[in-house]
Amino acid sequence: MTATPTPRVTIKDVAARAGVSKGAVSLAFNHKPGLSEATRDRIFRAARELGWAPNLTARTLAGSRVDVVGLAICRPARLLGLEPFYMEFVSGVESVLTEHSCSLLLRLVRTVEEETGLQESWWRGRQIGGSILVDFRADDPRVAMAQRVGMPVVAVGHPSLTGGLTSVWTDDATAVTEAVRYLAALGHRRIARVGGAAALGHTSIRTAAFDEAAGALALAGAWQVATDFSGDAGARATRSLLAASGADRPTAIVYDNDIMAVAGLSVAAEMGLRVPEDVSLLAWDDSQLCRLTHPTLSAMSHDVHGFGAEVARTLFGVIMGGGVGSHPVATPVLTPRGSTAPPR
Amino acid sequence: MTATPTPRVTIKDVAARAGVSKGAVSLAFNHKPGLSEATRDRIFRAARELGWAPNLTARTLAGSRVDVVGLAICRPARLLGLEPFYMEFVSGVESVLTEHSCSLLLRLVRTVEEETGLQESWWRGRQIGGSILVDFRADDPRVAMAQRVGMPVVAVGHPSLTGGLTSVWTDDATAVTEAVRYLAALGHRRIARVGGAAALGHTSIRTAAFDEAAGALALAGAWQVATDFSGDAGARATRSLLAASGADRPTAIVYDNDIMAVAGLSVAAEMGLRVPEDVSLLAWDDSQLCRLTHPTLSAMSHDVHGFGAEVARTLFGVIMGGGVGSHPVATPVLTPRGSTAPPR
DNA sequence: GATACGGACTTTACCGGTTAAGAAAACGTT
DNA sequence: AACGTTTTCTTAACCGGTAAAGTCCGTATC
């Protein structure tokens, strides 16, 4: 297997076998007019016999459409494996790509700058026909890059962050407000939020919305902590929030993803606090995980798979030259389960 | 953004600006000898000024190395999002690919046949320089295909399944035996195993090993159930196992992944059984999840991230023309936590 | 001063397709 | 029968690089 001499079959071989020119084979395989049914058949038969399929690299170079879309994720590799969100998002994206016989070019990067360079070189090198941009931050360099080089992209994030790019987003602000209102309606007056990475745009949006909601409801206590989305960070944050006593301790905590909520659940148990009697917990994203814990986790439920699919569909629209604009998708909907109740 | 005319900068432009031929630019960018330092500098300066980087598609077509590796996963998109295993595996693979400025071409497929065709066309089309094959089953068609076309691949699976392909695998049989012995040593005589998809090769290996271990230890009861790896299936299986009473009920359950173990934990709680007093649970893979539950989950711990990294390293070896053979990696190691104890 | 040689580039022929323009045969018209 | 149209294919020029072979030139050798 070391350097097995692979006898690559090319269009020339097929042409020779069918007794026609390269051009004819190309016409046949692209279903273009200008060939008789008879020759078309002969060509396809020859191709089948030789087991030939057009070389996509050459096809791409010659200027036709590229059937690969890019996705670069800017997060340490180790952390990524722990987050259900991305895998589910990717699976949603894939579900649509597959219908179009399109593949996903995936790459983990360390910084936004690295991603910006990568995306640009993917595009310039015709490696991709378009790209999905995620994890926007304020003044994101990818906005200008995409516009400068004219790369078809879909930005996953609020329009305020994604500039003039076509965007697909969920209304995080409204969802946060709803979460807080729900807990307040249950009677909670001291509410905390364990947020995600502070650098991310959607984190700031949620943070601002939380502050505003807390103010509007005149809560007696409102805390916010930033984390890196990991379960460990969620556990630490929960531990320090619950370590306080009396009026300094929140009676309800909202998490920015579900892995942290699971961690919070376990910290509460370990500290001898009952959920939801002593403290209410509310997760985000709502992967299957939330239904597997005991008590089950109430969550701001969000169809991440469907979200990914919608992003992919929108990208195809953009690549085809349409679908530009801002595409809000369904706001996460509150799904009460066993981890939220009125405070004692 | 619809169809922005992109002024693509090519090697010709750079050559013109530097006042040299295309060939010279190519030499400079591939760090090949035959150019004076002065021209080299001039070329790089010109390239920088024009913001040029070599077009990878063209470079690939011209016959140099391809910096993309393939991975097709044969599983319904929806299910994939739920499994921590793959995301962690992918993140491990990525961590090594990134070092080599290499990207991953990912695609979900429905059947092994579809994957076989896809992999072959990726290879023939020079879309990839090599590929990672996962989820082997008996008489897998990918083995013959890879050998026939001479595609560099690394097969993730036991050599008995992967034919003559270079393989990276963990010793599932030994691990299962160890898991059963451990539970038996704690005093358990009735042990169940909630396994994965029956069609997968490593599932059969584990199933056989469990049977053998159960026989060798002359257990009073040994059950095995096949699932689709989902938490729901794990919950169902657990519920039916624990519904029995007395001598028909297992006192310990081994799961084939951790999501099912988490589900099992919650089912036990819901049925009023205490873990580990009434029933011991043992997870597999051991993602972060196992440390986030309460009680924490004992597991056959397996560095999935490192496993992915090793697979990627091996693939690079194969692509370079070496590293052929069978590469066993560390056997999952038993990590006792809070979910296992002697039966009452 | 003719010969050989090595360094610095340029030329040119691919890689495997696509596609515009051209040519030969088949067809319909008057 | 002469002439314009189609239909059916072929030719040849790209796409943007790589790499082997060729050219030119300054210099060391005898």
Side-chain angles (χ1 to χ4, degrees), chain B residues 242-259:
Chain B
L242 297 182
S245 60
D248 291 333
R249 197 175 78 189
T251 60
I253 307 181
V254 189
Y255 293 85
D256 250 21
N257 69 6
D258 45 16
I259 197 100

Side-chain angles (χ1 to χ4, degrees), chain A residues 106-125:
Chain A
L106 183 70
R107 177 86 162 267
L108 300 191
V109 292
R110 258 170 294 270
T111 64
V112 215
E113 288 70 31
E114 188 185 345
E115 176 180 347
T116 310
L118 178 68
Q119 295 274 9
E120 185 171 346
S121 78
W122 272 351
W123 169 246
R124 300 257 274 244

Side-chain angles (χ1 to χ4, degrees), chain A residues 252-305:
Chain A
I253 308 181
V254 189
Y255 295 85
D256 250 20
N257 68 7
D258 45 17
I259 197 99
M260 294 197 295
V262 171
L265 196 59
S266 140
V267 166
E270 150 205 322
M271 294 175 80
L273 295 172
R274 284 167 310 160
V275 176
E277 292 82 356
D278 299 321
V279 58
S280 285
L281 303 183
L282 185 58
W284 205 279
D285 285 347
D286 194 23
S287 77
Q288 191 182 18
L289 216 48
C290 295
R291 274 164 294 136
L292 298 178
T293 55
H294 189 84
T296 52
L297 282 164
S298 301
M300 291 306 294
S301 185
H302 184 191
D303 179 6
V304 177
H305 182 92

Side-chain angles (χ1 to χ4, degrees), chain A residues 28 31 41 61 84 87-88 99 105 108 137 161 195 210 228 232 242 248 255 261 271 282-283 288 300 320 327 331 341:
Chain A
H31 301 103
D41 281 355
L61 183 57
M87 200 67 195
E88 215 167 331
E99 291 168 12
L105 192 59
L108 300 191
R137 44 204 72 202
L161 298 162
F210 183 87
D228 60 5
D232 283 337
L242 297 182
D248 291 335
Y255 295 85
M271 294 175 80
L282 185 58
Q288 191 182 18
M300 291 306 294
M320 296 313 177
H327 298 240
T331 303

